[in-house]
Amino acid sequence: MIEFKNVSKSFGSTVALNDVSLVFPRGKIIGLFGPNGAGKSTSIKLIMGLNRPDRGEVRVDGENPQNKKQDMAYLPEIDHLYPWMNIAQAADFTRTFYADWDEGKYRELIKFLNLQEDMKISKISKGQRAKTKLLLTVSRRAPYLLMDEPLSGIDILTREEIINTLIRDFREGEQTIIISTHEIAEVESLVDEVIFLDRGKVKISGNAEDLRVERNMSLVELMKEAFRNAD
Amino acid sequence: MQTSSLNKFFKLYSKEMRELRPEILVVLIATLVLDLFFYFKARQFPAMIIGPSMMILGLAAFLPFISSFKLLGREWNSNTIYLLLSLPAKGGSILGSKLLALLTQYFIGTVVVTAGGIILAFLLFPEPGLAETLNQARALGIDTRLQTIVSSGSLFYLMSVVGMAYVIAISFFSQLLGKLVRRFSGPVTAIVFIATFWLMNKLMTPLWQQLWNYNQLHMNQYNFSVAALNQLVGMNTLIVLAGTVIVFIAAVLVYNHKIEL
Protein backbone atom coordinates (compact mmCIF):
# COMPACT_ATOMS: atom_id res chain seq x y z
CA MET A 1 0.00 0.00 0.00
CA ILE A 2 1.18 3.50 -0.80
CA GLU A 3 0.29 6.33 1.54
CA PHE A 4 0.58 10.11 1.27
CA LYS A 5 0.27 11.86 4.64
CA ASN A 6 -0.25 15.63 4.35
CA VAL A 7 2.23 15.84 1.52
CA SER A 8 3.22 19.22 0.12
CA LYS A 9 5.72 19.82 -2.63
CA SER A 10 6.70 23.03 -4.37
CA PHE A 11 9.18 23.90 -7.09
CA GLY A 12 10.16 27.49 -6.47
CA SER A 13 6.91 29.42 -6.37
CA THR A 14 4.95 26.64 -8.13
CA VAL A 15 2.94 24.49 -5.78
CA ALA A 16 2.81 20.95 -7.18
CA LEU A 17 1.06 19.24 -4.26
CA ASN A 18 -0.66 20.99 -1.40
CA ASP A 19 -1.28 19.03 1.81
CA VAL A 20 -2.38 15.89 0.03
CA SER A 21 -3.40 12.78 1.96
CA LEU A 22 -4.03 9.70 -0.16
CA VAL A 23 -4.04 5.95 -0.07
CA PHE A 24 -3.26 3.85 -3.14
CA PRO A 25 -4.70 0.41 -2.36
CA ARG A 26 -2.69 -2.68 -3.18
CA GLY A 27 -3.52 -5.00 -6.08
CA LYS A 28 -5.53 -2.50 -8.15
CA ILE A 29 -5.10 -0.41 -11.28
CA ILE A 30 -5.31 3.20 -10.18
CA GLY A 31 -5.81 6.11 -12.56
CA LEU A 32 -4.21 9.38 -11.53
CA PHE A 33 -6.07 11.94 -13.61
CA GLY A 34 -6.04 15.68 -14.02
CA PRO A 35 -5.04 18.45 -16.41
CA ASN A 36 -1.44 19.54 -17.01
CA GLY A 37 0.15 20.91 -13.85
CA ALA A 38 -2.29 19.08 -11.56
CA GLY A 39 0.52 17.27 -9.69
CA LYS A 40 0.28 13.84 -11.32
CA SER A 41 3.95 13.49 -12.33
CA THR A 42 5.12 14.88 -9.00
CA SER A 43 2.99 12.28 -7.18
CA ILE A 44 4.54 9.48 -9.23
CA LYS A 45 8.05 10.85 -8.66
CA LEU A 46 7.40 11.09 -4.92
CA ILE A 47 6.33 7.43 -4.87
CA MET A 48 9.42 6.50 -6.87
CA GLY A 49 11.69 8.47 -4.52
CA LEU A 50 12.79 10.82 -7.29
CA ASN A 51 11.35 13.76 -5.39
CA ARG A 52 11.16 14.34 -1.65
CA PRO A 53 8.19 16.01 0.03
CA ASP A 54 8.72 19.48 1.52
CA ARG A 55 6.21 18.57 4.21
CA GLY A 56 4.42 15.38 5.17
CA GLU A 57 5.53 11.90 4.24
CA VAL A 58 5.18 9.26 1.55
CA ARG A 59 5.25 5.61 2.59
CA VAL A 60 5.44 2.51 0.42
CA ASP A 61 4.45 -0.56 2.44
CA GLY A 62 5.30 1.51 5.52
CA GLU A 63 8.79 2.35 4.30
CA ASN A 64 10.62 5.30 2.78
CA PRO A 65 10.31 5.08 -1.04
CA GLN A 66 14.11 5.36 -1.30
CA ASN A 67 14.34 1.88 0.22
CA LYS A 68 11.67 0.33 -2.01
CA LYS A 69 13.11 1.01 -5.46
CA GLN A 70 13.66 -2.68 -6.13
CA ASP A 71 9.89 -3.19 -5.83
CA MET A 72 8.94 -0.47 -8.29
CA ALA A 73 8.94 -0.47 -12.07
CA TYR A 74 8.87 3.07 -13.40
CA LEU A 75 7.89 4.28 -16.84
CA PRO A 76 8.49 8.04 -17.12
CA GLU A 77 6.96 10.25 -19.77
CA ILE A 78 10.34 11.31 -21.15
CA ASP A 79 12.83 9.09 -22.98
CA HIS A 80 15.17 7.97 -20.23
CA LEU A 81 17.03 5.12 -21.90
CA TYR A 82 20.66 5.39 -23.04
CA PRO A 83 20.40 6.25 -26.75
CA TRP A 84 23.51 4.26 -27.73
CA MET A 85 22.05 1.04 -26.37
CA ASN A 86 20.03 -1.37 -28.44
CA ILE A 87 17.00 -3.12 -26.93
CA ALA A 88 19.02 -6.19 -25.92
CA GLN A 89 21.62 -4.02 -24.14
CA ALA A 90 18.92 -2.00 -22.38
CA ALA A 91 17.25 -5.25 -21.25
CA ASP A 92 20.59 -6.64 -20.07
CA PHE A 93 21.25 -3.44 -18.11
CA THR A 94 17.79 -3.53 -16.47
CA ARG A 95 17.93 -7.27 -15.72
CA THR A 96 21.16 -6.82 -13.70
CA PHE A 97 19.44 -4.61 -11.16
CA TYR A 98 16.19 -6.44 -10.56
CA ALA A 99 15.71 -9.89 -9.12
CA ASP A 100 12.10 -9.88 -10.39
CA TRP A 101 13.11 -9.77 -14.07
CA ASP A 102 11.11 -12.38 -16.00
CA GLU A 103 13.11 -13.49 -19.04
CA GLY A 104 10.25 -15.59 -20.44
CA LYS A 105 7.89 -12.64 -20.28
CA TYR A 106 10.48 -10.41 -21.93
CA ARG A 107 10.89 -12.87 -24.84
CA GLU A 108 7.13 -13.16 -25.21
CA LEU A 109 6.53 -9.41 -25.04
CA ILE A 110 9.24 -8.46 -27.51
CA LYS A 111 7.39 -10.53 -30.13
CA PHE A 112 3.98 -9.28 -29.04
CA LEU A 113 5.11 -5.65 -29.34
CA ASN A 114 6.82 -6.24 -32.70
CA LEU A 115 10.24 -5.14 -31.49
CA GLN A 116 13.66 -6.55 -32.33
CA GLU A 117 16.56 -6.86 -29.93
CA ASP A 118 19.07 -5.24 -32.29
CA MET A 119 17.01 -2.05 -32.65
CA LYS A 120 19.09 0.92 -31.46
CA ILE A 121 17.20 3.24 -29.08
CA SER A 122 18.40 6.40 -30.85
CA LYS A 123 17.28 5.11 -34.24
CA ILE A 124 13.74 3.90 -33.51
CA SER A 125 10.48 5.85 -33.76
CA LYS A 126 8.74 7.51 -30.83
CA GLY A 127 6.12 4.76 -30.75
CA GLN A 128 8.80 2.07 -30.71
CA ARG A 129 10.61 3.88 -27.92
CA ALA A 130 7.35 3.97 -25.93
CA LYS A 131 6.93 0.25 -26.53
CA THR A 132 10.56 -0.39 -25.51
CA LYS A 133 10.03 1.47 -22.24
CA LEU A 134 6.90 -0.57 -21.66
CA LEU A 135 8.73 -3.80 -22.52
CA LEU A 136 11.48 -3.10 -19.98
CA THR A 137 8.98 -2.11 -17.30
CA VAL A 138 6.45 -4.90 -17.76
CA SER A 139 9.10 -7.62 -18.16
CA ARG A 140 9.60 -7.34 -14.43
CA ARG A 141 7.27 -8.95 -11.90
CA ALA A 142 7.42 -5.81 -9.78
CA PRO A 143 4.78 -5.32 -7.07
CA TYR A 144 4.32 -1.69 -8.16
CA LEU A 145 4.16 -0.42 -11.72
CA LEU A 146 4.24 3.38 -12.01
CA MET A 147 3.43 4.83 -15.42
CA ASP A 148 3.65 8.53 -16.10
CA GLU A 149 1.71 9.51 -19.23
CA PRO A 150 2.43 6.22 -21.04
CA LEU A 151 0.22 7.18 -23.99
CA SER A 152 1.44 10.74 -24.50
CA GLY A 153 2.27 11.48 -28.13
CA ILE A 154 1.71 7.89 -29.22
CA ASP A 155 -0.35 6.92 -32.29
CA ILE A 156 -3.65 5.12 -31.83
CA LEU A 157 -2.40 1.67 -32.86
CA THR A 158 0.54 1.79 -30.47
CA ARG A 159 -1.79 3.00 -27.71
CA GLU A 160 -3.93 -0.03 -28.26
CA GLU A 161 -0.90 -2.31 -28.07
CA ILE A 162 0.23 -0.67 -24.83
CA ILE A 163 -3.20 -1.02 -23.24
CA ASN A 164 -3.55 -4.62 -24.42
CA THR A 165 -0.13 -5.41 -22.93
CA LEU A 166 -1.18 -3.94 -19.60
CA ILE A 167 -4.46 -5.87 -19.55
CA ARG A 168 -2.71 -9.07 -20.59
CA ASP A 169 -0.02 -8.92 -17.94
CA PHE A 170 -1.80 -7.40 -14.96
CA ARG A 171 -1.71 -9.71 -11.95
CA GLU A 172 -4.81 -8.73 -9.98
CA GLY A 173 -4.40 -8.63 -6.22
CA GLU A 174 -0.66 -9.09 -6.56
CA GLN A 175 0.37 -6.02 -8.51
CA THR A 176 -0.52 -2.35 -8.14
CA ILE A 177 -0.49 -0.23 -11.29
CA ILE A 178 -0.65 3.55 -11.09
CA ILE A 179 -1.25 5.27 -14.43
CA SER A 180 -0.97 9.02 -14.57
CA THR A 181 -2.62 10.50 -17.64
CA HIS A 182 -4.90 13.22 -18.88
CA GLU A 183 -6.13 10.94 -21.65
CA ILE A 184 -8.81 9.27 -19.58
CA ALA A 185 -10.89 7.83 -22.42
CA GLU A 186 -8.06 5.49 -23.38
CA VAL A 187 -7.68 3.95 -19.94
CA GLU A 188 -11.22 4.29 -18.60
CA SER A 189 -11.96 0.59 -19.03
CA LEU A 190 -8.71 -0.34 -17.36
CA VAL A 191 -8.83 1.41 -13.99
CA ASP A 192 -10.35 0.12 -10.74
CA GLU A 193 -9.74 3.25 -8.68
CA VAL A 194 -9.44 6.88 -9.72
CA ILE A 195 -7.89 9.98 -8.23
CA PHE A 196 -8.58 13.34 -9.86
CA LEU A 197 -5.99 15.97 -9.03
CA ASP A 198 -6.29 19.67 -9.66
CA ARG A 199 -3.61 22.24 -8.85
CA GLY A 200 -2.01 20.06 -6.23
CA LYS A 201 -5.21 19.02 -4.46
CA VAL A 202 -7.34 15.88 -4.63
CA LYS A 203 -10.59 16.83 -6.31
CA ILE A 204 -12.35 13.46 -6.51
CA SER A 205 -11.24 9.97 -5.55
CA GLY A 206 -12.88 6.60 -5.27
CA ASN A 207 -13.80 3.37 -6.98
CA ALA A 208 -14.24 3.93 -10.73
CA GLU A 209 -17.38 1.83 -11.03
CA ASP A 210 -19.01 3.39 -7.95
CA LEU A 211 -18.33 6.88 -9.30
CA ARG A 212 -19.79 6.01 -12.70
CA VAL A 213 -22.97 4.56 -11.13
CA GLU A 214 -23.31 7.24 -8.49
CA ARG A 215 -22.96 10.16 -10.91
CA ASN A 216 -24.36 8.37 -13.94
CA MET A 217 -21.57 9.47 -16.23
CA SER A 218 -18.32 8.19 -17.65
CA LEU A 219 -14.99 9.16 -16.11
CA VAL A 220 -14.30 11.46 -19.07
CA GLU A 221 -17.59 13.27 -18.48
CA LEU A 222 -16.88 13.34 -14.77
CA MET A 223 -13.52 14.99 -15.33
CA LYS A 224 -15.00 17.50 -17.79
CA GLU A 225 -17.69 18.46 -15.32
CA ALA A 226 -15.33 18.61 -12.37
CA PHE A 227 -12.85 20.85 -14.12
CA ARG A 228 -15.44 22.96 -15.88
CA ASN A 229 -16.83 23.89 -12.48
CA ALA A 230 -13.40 24.44 -10.98
CA ASP A 231 -12.94 27.85 -9.43
CA MET B 1 17.60 -14.19 -9.93
CA GLN B 2 19.36 -11.93 -7.41
CA THR B 3 22.39 -10.14 -8.83
CA SER B 4 25.33 -9.35 -6.55
CA SER B 5 26.31 -5.78 -5.73
CA LEU B 6 29.60 -6.39 -7.50
CA ASN B 7 27.77 -7.36 -10.71
CA LYS B 8 25.62 -4.25 -10.48
CA PHE B 9 28.72 -2.12 -9.98
CA PHE B 10 30.43 -3.79 -12.91
CA LYS B 11 27.37 -3.17 -15.11
CA LEU B 12 27.44 0.53 -14.20
CA TYR B 13 31.20 0.64 -14.77
CA SER B 14 30.82 -1.01 -18.22
CA LYS B 15 28.20 1.57 -19.15
CA GLU B 16 30.54 4.42 -18.13
CA MET B 17 33.41 2.88 -20.09
CA ARG B 18 31.18 2.76 -23.14
CA GLU B 19 30.40 6.47 -22.66
CA LEU B 20 34.13 7.25 -22.47
CA ARG B 21 35.06 5.25 -25.53
CA PRO B 22 35.38 8.28 -27.92
CA GLU B 23 37.82 10.14 -25.64
CA ILE B 24 39.93 7.03 -25.09
CA LEU B 25 40.05 6.41 -28.83
CA VAL B 26 41.13 10.01 -29.50
CA VAL B 27 44.18 9.59 -27.25
CA LEU B 28 45.04 6.16 -28.66
CA ILE B 29 44.77 7.33 -32.27
CA ALA B 30 46.72 10.54 -31.57
CA THR B 31 49.51 8.50 -29.93
CA LEU B 32 49.63 6.00 -32.76
CA VAL B 33 49.70 8.70 -35.46
CA LEU B 34 52.40 10.68 -33.65
CA ASP B 35 54.61 7.68 -32.94
CA LEU B 36 54.30 6.35 -36.48
CA PHE B 37 55.02 9.82 -37.89
CA PHE B 38 58.21 10.15 -35.87
CA TYR B 39 59.29 6.60 -36.58
CA PHE B 40 58.88 6.83 -40.34
CA LYS B 41 59.18 10.54 -41.16
CA ALA B 42 61.32 12.26 -38.56
CA ARG B 43 64.02 9.77 -37.65
CA GLN B 44 66.74 12.36 -38.20
CA PHE B 45 65.35 14.62 -35.40
CA PRO B 46 64.51 12.15 -32.60
CA ALA B 47 64.69 14.80 -29.85
CA MET B 48 61.75 16.58 -31.45
CA ILE B 49 59.41 13.85 -30.27
CA ILE B 50 59.60 15.05 -26.67
CA GLY B 51 57.45 18.16 -27.20
CA PRO B 52 54.49 16.56 -29.03
CA SER B 53 54.65 13.48 -26.76
CA MET B 54 54.39 15.67 -23.69
CA MET B 55 51.42 17.45 -25.28
CA ILE B 56 49.61 14.16 -25.87
CA LEU B 57 50.52 13.01 -22.37
CA GLY B 58 49.03 16.26 -21.08
CA LEU B 59 45.90 15.60 -23.13
CA ALA B 60 45.65 12.02 -21.80
CA ALA B 61 46.08 13.28 -18.25
CA PHE B 62 43.70 16.22 -18.61
CA LEU B 63 40.87 14.56 -20.59
CA PRO B 64 39.46 12.53 -17.66
CA PHE B 65 38.88 15.78 -15.78
CA ILE B 66 36.93 17.20 -18.75
CA SER B 67 35.13 13.86 -19.16
CA SER B 68 34.03 13.98 -15.50
CA PHE B 69 31.78 16.91 -16.40
CA LYS B 70 30.48 15.11 -19.48
CA LEU B 71 29.87 11.83 -17.68
CA LEU B 72 27.72 13.31 -14.93
CA GLY B 73 26.23 16.28 -16.78
CA ARG B 74 25.05 14.14 -19.68
CA GLU B 75 22.81 12.13 -17.33
CA TRP B 76 20.74 15.28 -16.87
CA ASN B 77 21.04 16.54 -20.44
CA SER B 78 19.81 13.26 -21.92
CA ASN B 79 17.28 12.55 -19.14
CA THR B 80 19.00 9.25 -18.29
CA ILE B 81 19.18 10.55 -14.72
CA TYR B 82 15.55 9.33 -14.49
CA LEU B 83 16.80 5.80 -15.13
CA LEU B 84 19.82 6.16 -12.87
CA LEU B 85 17.87 7.55 -9.92
CA SER B 86 15.14 4.92 -10.24
CA LEU B 87 17.67 2.06 -10.00
CA PRO B 88 18.04 0.31 -6.65
CA ALA B 89 21.64 1.57 -6.47
CA LYS B 90 23.05 4.12 -4.04
CA GLY B 91 25.24 7.11 -4.81
CA GLY B 92 28.38 5.22 -3.79
CA SER B 93 27.93 2.75 -6.65
CA ILE B 94 26.75 5.34 -9.18
CA LEU B 95 29.53 7.85 -8.51
CA GLY B 96 32.09 5.12 -7.70
CA SER B 97 31.58 3.49 -11.09
CA LYS B 98 32.00 6.85 -12.81
CA LEU B 99 35.15 7.62 -10.82
CA LEU B 100 36.64 4.20 -11.59
CA ALA B 101 35.84 4.58 -15.30
CA LEU B 102 37.53 8.01 -15.41
CA LEU B 103 40.60 6.64 -13.63
CA THR B 104 40.67 3.77 -16.14
CA GLN B 105 40.57 6.36 -18.92
CA TYR B 106 43.48 8.17 -17.23
CA PHE B 107 45.39 4.90 -16.83
CA ILE B 108 44.90 3.76 -20.43
CA GLY B 109 45.78 7.20 -21.86
CA THR B 110 48.87 7.88 -19.78
CA VAL B 111 50.26 4.34 -19.96
CA VAL B 112 49.82 4.10 -23.74
CA VAL B 113 51.38 7.52 -24.39
CA THR B 114 54.28 6.81 -21.99
CA ALA B 115 54.87 3.30 -23.34
CA GLY B 116 54.78 4.62 -26.91
CA GLY B 117 57.30 7.32 -25.98
CA ILE B 118 59.66 4.86 -24.27
CA ILE B 119 59.54 2.38 -27.17
CA LEU B 120 60.14 5.17 -29.65
CA ALA B 121 63.05 6.50 -27.57
CA PHE B 122 64.72 3.07 -27.61
CA LEU B 123 64.14 2.78 -31.36
CA LEU B 124 65.20 6.28 -32.35
CA PHE B 125 67.85 7.47 -29.94
CA PRO B 126 71.34 6.21 -30.69
CA GLU B 127 72.45 3.59 -28.15
CA PRO B 128 75.31 5.61 -26.53
CA GLY B 129 72.90 8.49 -25.88
CA LEU B 130 70.80 6.72 -23.27
CA ALA B 131 73.78 4.98 -21.70
CA GLU B 132 75.61 8.30 -21.40
CA THR B 133 72.65 9.95 -19.75
CA LEU B 134 72.47 7.16 -17.19
CA ASN B 135 76.23 7.43 -16.56
CA GLN B 136 75.93 11.17 -16.00
CA ALA B 137 73.10 10.60 -13.52
CA ARG B 138 75.17 7.96 -11.72
CA ALA B 139 78.07 10.41 -11.51
CA LEU B 140 75.74 12.84 -9.71
CA GLY B 141 75.02 10.14 -7.15
CA ILE B 142 71.55 9.28 -8.44
CA ASP B 143 70.53 5.67 -8.08
CA THR B 144 69.81 4.49 -11.61
CA ARG B 145 69.06 0.85 -10.89
CA LEU B 146 65.96 -0.38 -12.71
CA GLN B 147 64.35 -1.40 -9.43
CA THR B 148 64.77 2.12 -8.03
CA ILE B 149 63.50 3.78 -11.19
CA VAL B 150 60.44 1.50 -11.26
CA SER B 151 59.61 1.95 -7.56
CA SER B 152 60.00 5.76 -7.62
CA GLY B 153 58.21 6.01 -10.97
CA SER B 154 55.33 3.90 -9.66
CA LEU B 155 55.00 6.06 -6.57
CA PHE B 156 54.96 9.25 -8.64
CA TYR B 157 52.39 7.68 -10.95
CA LEU B 158 50.25 6.58 -8.01
CA MET B 159 50.38 10.15 -6.70
CA SER B 160 49.17 11.42 -10.08
CA VAL B 161 46.29 8.87 -10.08
CA VAL B 162 45.21 9.98 -6.61
CA GLY B 163 45.52 13.62 -7.70
CA MET B 164 43.24 12.87 -10.64
CA ALA B 165 40.74 11.14 -8.32
CA TYR B 166 40.86 14.23 -6.11
CA VAL B 167 39.92 16.69 -8.90
CA ILE B 168 37.25 14.29 -10.21
CA ALA B 169 35.71 14.01 -6.73
CA ILE B 170 35.63 17.83 -6.51
CA SER B 171 34.12 17.94 -10.00
CA PHE B 172 31.33 15.51 -8.95
CA PHE B 173 30.67 17.35 -5.73
CA SER B 174 30.46 20.77 -7.41
CA GLN B 175 28.27 19.47 -10.27
CA LEU B 176 25.83 17.85 -7.84
CA LEU B 177 25.58 21.02 -5.79
CA GLY B 178 25.07 22.90 -9.05
CA LYS B 179 22.14 20.59 -9.86
CA LEU B 180 20.42 21.57 -6.62
CA VAL B 181 19.61 24.99 -8.02
CA ARG B 182 17.20 25.35 -10.92
CA ARG B 183 18.87 28.43 -12.36
CA PHE B 184 22.54 29.30 -12.88
CA SER B 185 23.58 25.68 -12.40
CA GLY B 186 26.79 26.24 -14.43
CA PRO B 187 28.06 29.28 -12.49
CA VAL B 188 27.15 27.60 -9.18
CA THR B 189 29.14 24.52 -10.22
CA ALA B 190 32.15 26.69 -11.12
CA ILE B 191 32.00 28.64 -7.85
CA VAL B 192 31.59 25.48 -5.74
CA PHE B 193 34.48 23.85 -7.60
CA ILE B 194 36.85 26.74 -6.87
CA ALA B 195 35.62 27.12 -3.28
CA THR B 196 35.98 23.39 -2.54
CA PHE B 197 39.45 23.33 -4.06
CA TRP B 198 40.46 26.33 -1.96
CA LEU B 199 38.92 24.94 1.22
CA MET B 200 40.48 21.50 0.82
CA ASN B 201 43.88 23.06 0.14
CA LYS B 202 43.48 25.13 3.32
CA LEU B 203 42.71 21.94 5.24
CA MET B 204 45.61 20.03 3.75
CA THR B 205 48.24 22.79 3.91
CA PRO B 206 49.17 22.21 7.60
CA LEU B 207 49.69 18.51 6.80
CA TRP B 208 51.85 19.36 3.80
CA GLN B 209 53.81 21.81 5.94
CA GLN B 210 54.47 19.14 8.58
CA LEU B 211 55.48 16.71 5.87
CA TRP B 212 57.85 19.21 4.30
CA ASN B 213 59.48 20.08 7.63
CA TYR B 214 59.95 16.41 8.43
CA ASN B 215 61.41 15.75 5.02
CA GLN B 216 63.84 18.65 5.27
CA LEU B 217 65.47 16.87 8.21
CA HIS B 218 66.20 13.86 6.04
CA MET B 219 66.84 15.32 2.64
CA ASN B 220 68.31 18.53 1.32
CA GLN B 221 70.31 19.67 -1.69
CA TYR B 222 73.50 18.20 -0.20
CA ASN B 223 71.96 14.93 0.84
CA PHE B 224 69.65 13.51 -1.81
CA SER B 225 68.03 10.24 -0.87
CA VAL B 226 65.67 8.25 -3.11
CA ALA B 227 64.16 6.59 -0.04
CA ALA B 228 63.39 9.98 1.52
CA LEU B 229 61.94 11.22 -1.77
CA ASN B 230 59.74 8.12 -2.01
CA GLN B 231 58.60 8.71 1.55
CA LEU B 232 57.72 12.31 0.72
CA VAL B 233 55.74 11.25 -2.36
CA GLY B 234 54.04 8.41 -0.46
CA MET B 235 52.96 10.64 2.43
CA ASN B 236 51.77 13.34 0.04
CA THR B 237 49.72 10.69 -1.79
CA LEU B 238 48.11 9.66 1.48
CA ILE B 239 47.18 13.27 2.31
CA VAL B 240 45.58 13.79 -1.11
CA LEU B 241 43.84 10.41 -0.82
CA ALA B 242 42.30 11.47 2.50
CA GLY B 243 41.09 14.70 0.85
CA THR B 244 39.65 12.67 -2.04
CA VAL B 245 37.76 10.38 0.32
CA ILE B 246 36.28 13.35 2.20
CA VAL B 247 35.06 15.11 -0.97
CA PHE B 248 33.80 11.87 -2.53
CA ILE B 249 31.77 11.01 0.58
CA ALA B 250 30.32 14.53 0.52
CA ALA B 251 29.34 14.03 -3.15
CA VAL B 252 27.71 10.67 -2.34
CA LEU B 253 25.74 12.23 0.52
CA VAL B 254 24.48 14.99 -1.76
CA TYR B 255 23.49 12.39 -4.39
CA ASN B 256 21.70 10.16 -1.87
CA HIS B 257 19.92 12.82 0.14
CA LYS B 258 19.51 15.96 -1.93
CA ILE B 259 19.29 15.20 -5.63
CA GLU B 260 15.75 15.40 -7.03
CA LEU B 261 14.21 15.60 -10.45
Side-chain angles (χ1 to χ4, degrees), chain B residues 61-74:
Chain B
F62 189 64
L63 259 184
F65 171 64
I66 302 292
S67 303
S68 72
F69 287 92
K70 175 194 124 174
L71 215 53
L72 197 57
R74 189 183 274 181

Side-chain angles (χ1 to χ4, degrees), chain A residues 133-144:
Chain A
K133 287 193 289 179
L134 184 77
L135 167 75
L136 298 177
T137 317
V138 183
S139 291
R140 289 179 52 204
R141 301 184 71 82
Y144 294 101

Side-chain angles (χ1 to χ4, degrees), chain B residues 121-243:
Chain B
F122 275 107
L123 291 173
L124 296 184
F125 280 90
E127 180 52 36
L130 276 175
E132 265 172 37
T133 311
L134 288 173
N135 282 337
Q136 282 168 3
R138 248 176 249 128
L140 287 169
I142 296 171
D143 187 351
T144 57
R145 284 174 300 170
L146 184 66
Q147 188 193 349
T148 311
I149 294 171
V150 169
S151 69
S152 292
S154 304
L155 264 177
F156 268 100
Y157 187 68
L158 184 66
M159 184 173 72
S160 79
V161 172
V162 172
M164 180 49 65
Y166 176 62
V167 289
I168 291 170
I170 296 180
S171 152
F172 285 171
F173 177 67
S174 51
Q175 285 182 80
L176 289 171
L177 281 194
K179 296 294 175 200
L180 296 183
V181 294
R182 299 221 163 238
R183 283 183 185 181
F184 307 116
S185 177
V188 170
T189 299
I191 291 165
V192 173
F193 184 88
I194 294 164
T196 311
F197 209 83
W198 178 82
L199 183 70
M200 289 308 292
N201 278 3
K202 278 270 172 204
L203 286 173
M204 292 193 289
T205 299
L207 293 171
W208 276 322
Q209 196 59 55
Q210 292 259 330
L211 180 63
W212 183 249
N213 293 343
Y214 170 81
N215 200 260
Q216 286 293 87
L217 295 173
H218 297 84
M219 187 176 73
N220 54 51
Q221 57 181 322
Y222 307 110
N223 178 25
F224 180 81
S225 149
V226 173
L229 179 69
N230 284 353
Q231 203 176 23
L232 179 73
V233 173
M235 292 298 286
N236 181 53
T237 305
L238 283 179
I239 293 170
V240 179
L241 182 64

